């Protein structure tokens, strides 16, 4: 299959999936989300593929977030649907994929980009990577599982700080937090991930998929949290702050939030 904004190569048992919109820092629009879901679903059905590496095209970004230009005019119900569809078709799907997915975080992983990396089974970052959930600076909250998966990975206090400040952390801090498992140079990131993927690929695919299921089952009580995130995300789209925040980003200026 060929895609517009995703590219896939398979080398022996390991597939490499690129989010491929470097001119927009690989921001996730609806097409990219749909294509990523389809590409990963197809790889999951390929018995030769035993591990997947997910990364971003270009030297700057893994994924710089959901595509702000696409959703800035959405209503509350469209906002809720955006989060619910994205979670179902891509983010939850990655988390429950039978084939393990390693995120190779090669630059900015912001908003939906960090949420994408967090939905993967584990993460490796290069030294230039910067991670954060800047949604509140736009008048919205994370809607692709970020309010749930970040506290699971780094703890509630660190997650609250990252979400409420909207700030970015560097790769070394992400390593200290346990958000990523390893940090490498930018030019050795994929080689390092290939070596990890190669180790995974030697193991029993049946046991691997059972292990993923078992680990995920331990976190399943957080499901109401994901639904609460979808509702709260949708509500943001009805606020004047959201209109101002997204307009300010697109006009390349600082926002002046009117407040609730
Ligand atoms: N949605 C839509 N477009 C985006 C985007 C996003 N999340 N992130 C980057 N882009 C676009 C920019 O608008 C710009 O497009 P243009 O060349 O047509 O103007 C292009 O990608 C390059 O980005 P630019 O901002 O010029 O790069 P930079 O190096 O100056 O800054 C970032 C990099 C990541 C700090 C900045 O792009 C940014 O803050 N992005 C948004 C991050 C965010 O809030 N994500 C959460 C969304 S919910």
């Amino acid at each position: 299959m060929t895609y517009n904004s995703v590219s896939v190569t398979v080398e022996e048992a390991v597939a490499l999936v690129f989010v491929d919109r470097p001119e927009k820092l690989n921001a996730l629009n609806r097409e990219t989300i749909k294509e990523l879901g389809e590409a990963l679903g197809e790889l999951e059905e390929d018995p030769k593929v035993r591990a997947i590496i997910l990364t971003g095209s270009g030297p700057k970004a893994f994924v710089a977030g959901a595509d702000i230009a696409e959703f800035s005019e959405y209503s509350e119900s469209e906002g809720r649907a955006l989060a619910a569809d994205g979670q179902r078709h891509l983010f939850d799907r990655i988390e429950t994929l039978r084939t393990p997915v390693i995120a190779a975080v090669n630059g900015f992983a912001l908003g939906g980009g960090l949420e994408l990396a967090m939905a993967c089974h584990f993460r490796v970052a290069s030294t230039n990577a910067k991670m954060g959930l800047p949604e509140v600076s736009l008048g919205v909250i994370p809607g692709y599982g970020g309010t749930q998966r970040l506290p699971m990975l780094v703890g509630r206090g660190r997650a609250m700080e990252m979400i409420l400040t909207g700030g970015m952390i560097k790769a070394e801090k992400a390593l200290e937090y346990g958000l990523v498992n390893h940090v490498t140079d930018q030019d050795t990131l994929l080689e390092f991930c290939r070596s990890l993927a190669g180790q995974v690929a030697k193991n029993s695919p049946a046991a691997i998929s059972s292990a993923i299921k078992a680990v995920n089952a331990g976190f399943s009580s957080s499901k109401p949290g994901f639904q609460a995130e979808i509702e709260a995300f949708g509500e943001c789209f009805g606020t004047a702050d959201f209109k101002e925040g997204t307009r300010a980003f697109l006009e390349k200026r600082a926002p002046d939030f009117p407040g609730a």
Side-chain angles (χ1 to χ4, degrees):
M1 254 261 230
T2 52
Y3 301 101
N4 266 332
S5 47
V6 170
S7 74
V8 179
T9 56
V10 179
E11 299 163 3
E12 296 176 8
V14 178
L16 201 54
V17 177
F18 287 88
V19 182
D20 198 12
R21 291 183 81 208
E23 70 290 351
K24 292 289 176 192
L25 304 186
N26 303 321
L28 298 175
N29 58 11
R30 276 193 181 267
E31 178 187 68
T32 315
I33 288 189
K34 182 170 171 284
E35 290 189 350
L36 263 179
E38 285 171 8
L40 292 166
E42 213 177 301
L43 292 170
E44 185 184 36
E45 295 305 322
D46 183 342
K48 292 190 298 302
V49 174
R50 300 284 178 86
I52 298 167
I53 298 167
L54 177 60
T55 193
S57 284
K60 258 180 98 168
F62 174 71
V63 167
D67 192 320
I68 299 165
E70 192 178 67
F71 69 57
S72 64
E73 301 295 330
Y74 278 10
S75 65
E76 283 189 46
S77 63
E78 287 170 319
R80 206 174 291 117
L82 181 73
D85 293 347
Q87 287 193 21
R88 191 169 51 245
H89 293 307
L90 184 60
F91 295 78
D92 292 354
R93 186 167 188 184
I94 294 178
E95 188 172 72
T96 57
L97 215 71
R98 293 193 302 275
T99 313
V101 186
I102 303 170
V105 182
N106 59 312
F108 288 114
L110 302 175
L114 181 55
E115 290 173 300
L116 184 66
M118 291 193 294
C120 294
H121 298 106
F122 57 92
R123 288 144 292 285
V124 180
S126 50
T127 45
N128 63 312
K130 286 193 177 158
M131 284 157 261
L133 293 177
E135 283 86 347
V136 294
S137 70
L138 296 163
V140 67
I141 65 166
Y144 290 143
T147 66
Q148 305 304 299
R149 291 194 181 98
L150 187 62
M152 284 180 209
L153 285 164
V154 306
R156 199 199 295 208
R158 285 166 168 170
M160 279 287 190
E161 183 178 331
M162 285 181 68
I163 293 169
L164 302 187
T165 63
M168 295 183 208
I169 60 170
K170 293 184 179 163
E172 284 304 326
K173 177 72 86 182
L175 181 65
E176 181 194 322
Y177 278 10
L179 184 53
V180 302
N181 295 3
H182 308 274
V183 175
T184 72
D185 289 337
Q186 194 175 14
D187 54 1
T188 55
L189 176 66
L190 289 184
E191 187 188 318
F192 187 87
C193 289
R194 276 196 196 94
S195 142
L196 278 175
Q199 286 178 48
V200 171
K202 281 191 211 137
N203 295 322
S204 148
I208 294 274
S209 71
S210 296
I212 290 172
K213 226 190 258 176
V215 172
N216 285 344
F219 294 91
S220 63
S221 61
S222 67
K223 276 296 157 205
F226 284 88
Q227 190 53 41
E229 182 187 88
I230 290 170
E231 297 303 325
F233 182 81
E235 282 164 19
C236 293
F237 285 68
T239 66
D241 278 2
F242 172 74
K243 307 267 178 294
E244 166 60 10
T246 50
R247 202 169 296 140
F249 176 81
L250 296 171
E251 291 169 4
K252 300 185 189 291
R253 61 173 173 81
D256 181 12
F257 290 119

